[in-house]
Amino acid sequence: MTAATSSSATSRLTRPVPFTPRRPVSAHLEASTDDLQSTGRIPRAITPSLLGSAKKFKAALSSESKSRLVTKPKPVLPSVPGTPTKKGSPDGSRPKTPTTPRRGTESPLLMPQVSEMDVSRVDPEEALVDFQSIEPGDISGEIDEAALADYGNEDKVLVSIRIRPTQATSAWQKSTAIPKSIKLDSHYAKSSTTAPQEFRFDEILTGSDNKPVYNAVARSHVCAAMDGYNAVIFAYGQTASGKTFTLSGDEDQPGIIPRAMKDIFAYIRRTPTREYLLRCSYLEIYNETIHDLLAPPSSSVSQPVQIQGTGANIVLTPLREEVVTSLKSVREVLQRGEGNRRTASTDWNERSSRSHSVFRVVIESRERGAGGDEAAIPSGRTTPGFRPPTPGGSRLQAKGGRSVQTSVLSLIDLAGSEKATSDKERTREGKYINTSLLTLGTVIATLAENSAKNKSDHVPFRNSKLTRMLQPSLSGNARISVIGTINPDMGAIGETTSTLLFAQRIKKVQLHAQKKEIVDTEALLERYRKEIEELKKRLTEKEADAPARNRRLSAREASW
Ligand code: ADP
Ligand code: MG
């Protein structure tokens, strides 16, 4: 670890919760939490019977997260780059929440098998959010409207480099000749005769402020996702280079994930013409097994998530998706996922540096019906026990002539990109060759080569879980932003160079993101009916105008 990360960085690690709510907790939540603290039991009120009212969804909080709300894990120092520790944190303690129930031992009372916000139990029509239901605390107070229209370059991956601050001398410098480029300081270059290679990117970011990072690398992609495009944002780099700091951040510096959620609610608030259904999932890929971080740890181990389908139609199952209606419910989902991830690991440092974590938000939206239109639409309510027919599919119906747009925003904290440092490390745990990361590199290289040389070589998406899951996005149907995080210290030159090379390669991948809109027959007919009405109206106006024109004409003729 470098000196730069010592004091503030260490204190950051004591706070795994990425951000805090700015508005007071609701009466319902306070009551529930008090209840739990005094009795240690889930209050009876938090049961699926709450599902009758959308308002009550806002306060729903699972007992898993409640038990974590009152505890904090012990501090851990970040692991030294390239040498993930085997024995846990330096002080020998396990950075585990003391009261966290261990895998398989959780009490049925404290670990509900099915969360009340699980999408399979929620009637989508009852959990919609729109501009009226968003509370001021759910949105960012720092919205810069001017920055909203820019979606970045539509056909290219947005590739940025973030240099972690250091108190040592940086081995890298921003180039003065070429803007937004970085090169190795000539003192550290192997050859003194040839100039060091200059790496050019869309953004080079420095410092500890996460707001400019969000604005530069994530905001346009989040807005694109709200507008119906799939979007993927991922951080790539060696362990301790700042991936988690960039994506999750901490209380003082919320990262991309919490800022994205605030922006999503802000977007809904300023879009009165649409209503939204938001659902989140949170998963981890560790040793080529996908764990659902929102499922109780015991069931996520006994029932790993499987990837089904091919090509653009990839479905993850069984994967829990939780409907969120406010920032508070998002925070609850994130806390629960993070807590389950810690519970599952015997060695947190090692697991977090070798696993990929993926936070996904499925955004469905529908045009809002005009006035009395709503009453005519059957709500389709069947709760409790509401179960949609297929996993992973859309939940909102394109009805009453209103089309539905669906998109997925994926925020991915990749495993550390460093290579194994010793044979011992290579041989344990099925070798430290991270299949997913290795395949990601090959897939990106092939895609880049294919688009550069107009070839169509086979792309080995199916060789790893991560690439298979990302296949629809990497094949081009998504806006992608990649943040390569680097440690500028002298000792990390090799790893930093390989991160820069990876980042440069992904820049060449060609994208062609399309919006997905579901329009059912009824919706189409309604659309045509409206078009016909509009045309008729214009025709009538023209006709009404015509006699007047004819009169003017005949008057002119008479004057001849
Ligand atoms: P990674 O997820 O890549 O392994 P982390 O995000 O955990 O790395 O960062 C390692 C340590 O460095 C953490 O303590 C983190 O708070 C700190 N850190 C990373 N990037 C920055 C930054 N830009 N400014 C300040 N501290 C940072
Ligand atoms: Mg990390």
Side-chain angles (χ1 to χ4, degrees):
M1 190 179 82
T2 62
T5 63
S6 56
S7 61
S8 63
T10 309
S11 65
R12 270 178 190 126
L13 274 177
T14 64
R15 294 189 295 259
V17 182
F19 65 113
T20 41
R22 301 266 186 270
R23 71 189 152 85
V25 283
S26 73
H28 178 134
L29 177 66
E30 274 168 350
S32 321
T33 313
D34 288 345
D35 222 346
L36 181 85
Q37 278 167 351
S38 57
T39 62
R41 296 164 62 96
I42 309 174
R44 283 208 172 275
I46 303 184
T47 64
S49 65
L50 282 179
L51 292 174
S53 146
K55 277 230 153 37
K56 286 176 186 167
F57 283 145
K58 294 197 165 189
L61 186 72
S62 89
S63 56
E64 286 163 74
S65 59
K66 268 181 233 145
S67 62
R68 286 183 183 93
L69 278 178
V70 289
T71 55
K72 282 191 176 187
K74 290 185 179 169
V76 201
L77 295 169
S79 52
V80 177
T83 53
T85 55
K86 192 177 184 176
K87 293 222 157 53
S89 56
D91 64 359
S93 63
R94 279 163 56 116
K96 197 192 275 185
T97 312
T99 54
T100 300
R102 295 197 178 193
R103 201 189 302 161
T105 60
E106 58 274 8
S107 126
L109 246 185
L110 288 172
M111 290 280 173
Q113 286 299 303
V114 181
S115 151
E116 56 267 37
M117 292 307 283
D118 189 310
V119 74
S120 61
R121 297 179 61 84
V122 173
D123 176 356
E125 300 295 331
E126 296 286 318
L128 293 173
V129 276
D130 63 18
F131 74 109
Q132 287 163 321
S133 64
I134 305 294
E135 294 184 24
D138 287 336
I139 64 169
S140 168
E142 315 163 331
I143 291 173
D144 177 4
E145 300 284 342
L148 289 177
D150 175 29
Y151 286 174
N153 188 326
E154 295 190 7
D155 298 331
K156 291 279 177 215
V157 180
L158 182 73
V159 186
S160 319
I161 294 296
R162 185 177 199 186
I163 310 170
R164 199 190 71 177
T166 180
Q167 278 179 4
T169 319
S170 171
W172 298 84
Q173 50 178 234
K174 282 193 189 181
S175 165
T176 42
I178 309 171
K180 297 182 178 176
S181 71
I182 181 174
K183 64 177 181 183
L184 191 61
D185 192 305
S186 50
H187 290 103
Y188 303 98
K190 277 193 189 130
S191 154
S192 55
T193 49
T194 50
Q197 184 182 355
E198 309 225 2
F199 296 90
R200 193 172 181 172
F201 297 100
D202 294 308
E203 296 289 342
I204 306 272
L205 302 148
T206 51
S208 293
D209 204 351
N210 271 339
K211 184 182 168 191
V213 173
Y214 175 77
N215 284 339
V217 310
R219 146 155 275 176
S220 59
H221 287 68
V222 172
C223 288
M226 292 307 288
D227 204 21
Y229 296 94
N230 291 328
V232 181
I233 301 174
F234 63 83
Y236 180 100
Q238 74 179 120
T239 296
S241 58
K243 297 182 295 297
T244 306
F245 182 74
T246 301
L247 279 168
S248 300
D250 58 22
E251 277 177 52
D252 301 333
Q253 285 297 328
I256 288 173
I257 297 176
R259 285 176 196 272
M261 294 314 298
K262 277 199 161 193
D263 243 7
I264 286 178
F265 287 115
Y267 189 103
I268 295 173
R269 197 164 151 108
R270 55 169 194 274
T271 312
T273 49
R274 299 188 81 82
E275 54 199 4
Y276 294 81
L277 178 71
L278 304 173
R279 50 199 154 108
C280 299
S281 56
Y282 199 4
L283 56 91
E284 177 190 49
I285 306 176
Y286 183 58
N287 276 340
E288 287 304 279
T289 306
I290 307 178
H291 300 276
D292 183 350
L293 294 176
L294 298 184
S298 53
S299 74
S300 110
V301 168
S302 61
Q303 272 193 301
V305 180
Q306 304 295 327
I307 303 176
Q308 293 175 352
T310 50
N313 298 311
I314 295 289
V315 174
L316 299 166
T317 181
L319 180 68
R320 188 171 290 208
E321 287 184 329
E322 302 263 329
V323 172
V324 293
T325 54
S326 67
L327 205 54
K328 195 198 299 161
S329 50
V330 175
R331 186 172 58 99
E332 186 272 320
V333 163
L334 283 167
Q335 279 181 340
R336 178 144 48 94
E338 188 72 5
N340 283 342
R341 201 172 170 209
R342 284 179 182 269
T343 311
S345 59
T346 46
D347 183 330
W348 168 244
N349 278 350
E350 192 225 58
R351 178 138 173 165
S352 78
S353 69
R354 291 180 184 188
S355 62
H356 313 277
S357 75
V358 182
F359 181 70
R360 293 178 5 136
V361 191
V362 182
I363 302 149
E364 284 185 75
S365 73
R366 186 170 62 196
E367 292 154 344
R368 274 162 55 88
D373 216 356
E374 293 309 335
I377 299 164
S379 90
R381 244 193 91 194
T382 52
T383 48
F386 175 85
R387 275 177 201 284
T390 50
S394 49
R395 298 293 191 274
L396 276 187
Q397 286 172 16
K399 56 187 174 184
R402 297 175 289 152
S403 62
V404 171
Q405 257 176 17
T406 309
S407 56
V408 184
L409 173 67
S410 309
L411 305 169
I412 307 175
D413 191 344
L414 290 174
S417 60
E418 63 275 357
K419 291 174 192 73
T421 49
S422 68
D423 282 352
K424 197 174 132 213
E425 247 186 70
R426 250 177 249 126
T427 48
R428 71 198 180 83
E429 263 202 38
K431 297 193 282 284
Y432 178 40
I433 291 175
N434 192 312
T435 308
S436 276
L437 208 57
L438 202 69
T439 312
L440 180 68
T442 321
V443 161
I444 300 287
T446 317
L447 287 170
E449 181 90 355
N450 279 354
S451 62
K453 301 196 175 153
N454 218 357
K455 295 198 293 186
S456 53
D457 283 358
H458 169 73
V459 186
F461 289 112
R462 296 183 76 90
N463 287 3
S464 82
K465 294 279 164 49
L466 179 74
T467 48
R468 187 144 178 239
M469 197 179 99
L470 290 180
Q471 180 170 355
S473 304
L474 292 173
S475 303
N477 192 15
R479 302 273 170 86
I480 302 180
S481 172
V482 179
I483 307 111
T485 54
I486 61 169
N487 168 1
D489 293 352
M490 210 180 86
I493 290 176
E495 289 302 337
T496 296
T497 309
S498 86
T499 300
L500 295 174
L501 288 169
F502 173 89
Q504 214 160 52
R505 224 176 290 134
I506 201 166
K507 184 80 208 151
K508 298 202 186 108
V509 173
Q510 196 76 32
L511 303 176
H512 38 82
Q514 305 277 322
K515 281 192 199 190
K516 187 176 167 200
E517 195 169 27
I518 300 167
V519 188
D520 70 355
T521 327
E522 192 193 343
L524 261 185
L525 287 176
E526 179 66 16
R527 195 176 274 186
Y528 291 149
R529 194 184 59 75
K530 280 185 184 154
E531 260 177 41
I532 291 169
E533 249 173 38
E534 179 62 21
L535 286 171
K536 271 190 186 161
K537 208 172 111 201
R538 283 191 0 219
L539 198 65
T540 322
E541 279 168 10
K542 271 229 164 93
E543 276 172 1
D545 199 25
R549 228 181 320 139
N550 289 345
R551 271 199 305 278
R552 278 200 301 275
L553 260 180
S554 44
R556 231 182 293 158
E557 274 164 293
S559 69
W560 279 95

